[in-house]
Amino acid sequence: MSKLLRISNSKYRTVISEVLPYERPVFFTNRFFARFLKFYGVKVENDVLVATRNADEPGLAEFLTLLGGKANAQRPCFQYLITKDGHKKGRCLSVIHPFHQVKMLEFYDRYKTLLIDFCQRSNFSIRYPYKVADYQKKSKGYYKIMSDDALPVDTSESLKHFFSYKHYKNINNFYDDYRFLRAEKKFAKMVKMDLEKCFESISPDKLSLAMFNHDMEYCIGSMAYDFCQLQRDFQNANAGIVIGPEFSRIYAEIVLQKIDAEVERKLNKKGFSLHIDYIFYRYVDDGFLFFNDEKTKEQFIYTYWNVLAKYGLRINKKKVLEFNDRPFVQNIGVVKERLLHLIDVRFENRLQTFKGFAKMQNKWMDTPTKIDSKTFISEVRNILRLNDSGDGKCTIKYKDITSFLLGFIQKRLIRLLTDFNVLYGQYKKAEYEGYINKEGLQIKERYEREFLDFCMNIVEILFYFLECDLRMSTSVKTVSIINKLQLFLRGRYQIEEYTKSNKFPVTYVQRLDAKISDEIATVFQNVSPKACNLMEVLNLLEVEKVMNIQYQIEPKVLNDFLKRCDSLPQALNFFIVFEILHFIKDADGYSELKLILNDWIDKRINSLHDTNISPTEAILTFLEVMCCPWFTPYKKHEYAKLLFGKSSEKTYQFAKKKKELFVKWEGYKLDEAIQQIKVHPTFRVIKSV
């Protein structure tokens, strides 16, 4: 694997975009696993993984046996909890077994055309796959990204999905689009509804009913049968489909499109015509019914309810919203519009002139963009208070606007960094070439001080809203924004393809790092740790990895945080354990914590002795221990002997050559890792929840 192979037009890119949950820690990726599968031509044969290329490499066969599990073994998913609104105990997401990831790429390769076909049979759906995703093009040919080892990688590794989707990538794009506005003009009333526990309620056997109007036993050998069987294998159960991966959304879309078509057909028989009597738009499990006559609404909901029940689904009565007056605008839409205006004003670029040079006589000086954290937070709070319920309680909560707010802050910040860098770069160049005067140096230094102050206030704003709304999406966006500030001051922020930011004096970098560490330490000290929010909190360690060790949070803070977990052994999982290991590396001060982590690892690897069960979490644990440079060769040999016996040495030597499979341990770059996470920032004003 000395050379990086192209993945773009191969089935292996399915592994990168389709099988992992969006909401996962930043450090975990499938890019390297896809390259591994490509290099060895790994496929499923007789219920085991086999190599079709470079197959004679010593230790490979044994390694693949462990990776995929023995024939007919149970391969349960790795399930983990994230904080989710409406889920008191957290929402459970799944990472499917490496063996099943290979099966999914083979499934996509075989059925991609059929998947597209069965997802284009509804007149209601406004988000569905319509073609295989292609390269992202620029003016000068195909856009390329660079891999971590500085070799060119085609854009398939950065494509967010295997398929391209119509008509909207984000539901918020729908509200101001012509479809919504045209329906609002034609119909006087609207009902917004969504489905209750959609993914949990779709049983795998409903797919054959949706596709062929038959029970699964009549569909052996079909796409429906194969897809259904995969979903059953993922969880060893018939209840619900796995939550998190993109392929489950496609699974659900096929079923929901069948429901759409059935509802439209039944309404036609009753004399209600689409686009004449009503319009219904569905974005995944969110529905929007436009109508004039109440009888139309009653008939639609009655029909929709009955057809949904046939497939084990139902409307969530608690989330039905009715609009009887145009425009169909809820308070949340007004709030977000005001927030947009606030951010535009506070992030306006004021640096437009170039002053202080020997050849220039104009003494007037610009003032860099300033922002006061306390004032900004107060302004956001006041906007929310304008929409109270009359009893002093806000109807709009932070959870309703935080993701939107951080997404738009990031967008405006990117623009501001670009503008500031142009002017600051001229001062840096003038200083380096010696044609700047005393006044110019004073202006440059003032710009540096005031920009650092701007960064400090942004950090305070981010952590305020993060602590008020601690979720995976807000955590990742916070990490992403802070990392941009870190890179900018370090002179490593990519402005354009061949242009990076101008480096600030090291003291400014140190002060920003100290501020970030202080805010992170405060989060660890204040938050009440639970099994469902550990990953969100520990995700903040990502920005600590960018810093020199002397500016990182004290070991005691992290140790004390994990000790406060009431049920630590139960709370720990693969993501949490390896996020911590990825951060602490071989640093001192974590001896007690390392004992806890090593004990957890021992138990997971020992569980692989059961040849009938191949747990995903245990497999991932062994693989990353073998790749991690901070585990001793002795420890790795010990685990290899435990699992492979006489074949341990050649298996160890094979695993030793694999520098990364799911985690990049050395040469890790946070900004590149963030690009692989499918975070969808909201930049548009929406008109409903």
Side-chain angles (χ1 to χ4, degrees), residues 488-504:
F488 190 85
L489 264 65
R490 285 168 164 80
R492 302 207 305 262
Y493 180 74
Q494 200 74 37
I495 303 294
E496 295 176 350
E497 190 170 356
Y498 300 106
T499 306
K500 291 187 177 180
S501 59
N502 293 277
K503 189 176 181 180
F504 274 63

Side-chain angles (χ1 to χ4, degrees), residues 65 156-157 248 567 569 674 680:
T65 300
S156 67
E157 291 202 357
S248 285
S567 57
I674 290 172
H680 302 290

Side-chain angles (χ1 to χ4, degrees), residues 473-486:
S473 61
T474 54
S475 174
V476 173
K477 286 179 181 177
T478 298
V479 168
S480 179
I481 296 170
I482 291 176
N483 184 239
K484 285 176 171 58
L485 297 178
Q486 289 178 309

Side-chain angles (χ1 to χ4, degrees), residues 204-237:
D205 60 351
K206 298 300 183 186
L207 190 66
S208 61
L209 184 64
M211 294 178 67
F212 304 115
N213 294 317
H214 286 298
D215 293 332
M216 193 58 66
E217 60 188 86
Y218 297 102
C219 302
I220 296 175
S222 67
M223 184 187 82
Y225 181 86
D226 290 347
F227 211 170
C228 170
Q229 197 58 50
L230 280 169
Q231 287 284 355
R232 286 174 174 169
D233 291 344
F234 296 156
Q235 303 191 101
N236 296 312

Side-chain angles (χ1 to χ4, degrees), residues 91-117:
R91 188 172 196 185
C92 184
L93 303 183
S94 298
V95 175
I96 62 173
H97 196 282
F99 174 87
H100 289 138
Q101 294 187 30
V102 177
K103 292 202 74 171
M104 278 308 307
L105 70 85
E106 293 179 346
F107 176 86
Y108 265 61
D109 188 52
R110 181 179 180 182
Y111 293 118
K112 54 182 178 288
T113 303
L114 272 178
L115 287 171
I116 292 171
D117 181 56

Side-chain angles (χ1 to χ4, degrees), residues 61-70 97 608 614 619 622-623 643-644:
E62 290 81 2
F63 189 84
L64 289 177
T65 300
L66 177 75
L67 181 67
K70 294 186 177 181
H97 196 282
L608 293 172
S614 177
I619 293 294
F622 174 81
L623 294 175
L643 298 179
F644 298 102

Side-chain angles (χ1 to χ4, degrees), residues 17 34 65 92 150 265 357 415 419 676:
S17 63
T65 300
C92 184
R265 186 174 66 255
F357 297 92
R415 182 190 300 177
D419 292 340
Q676 300 300 316

Side-chain angles (χ1 to χ4, degrees), residues 120 125-130 164-169 283:
Q120 297 188 65
S125 181
I126 55 175
R127 196 249 186 206
Y128 58 89
Y130 74 100
S164 293
Y165 284 79
K166 286 187 176 181
H167 296 274
Y168 307 101
K169 296 179 180 179
Y283 183 95

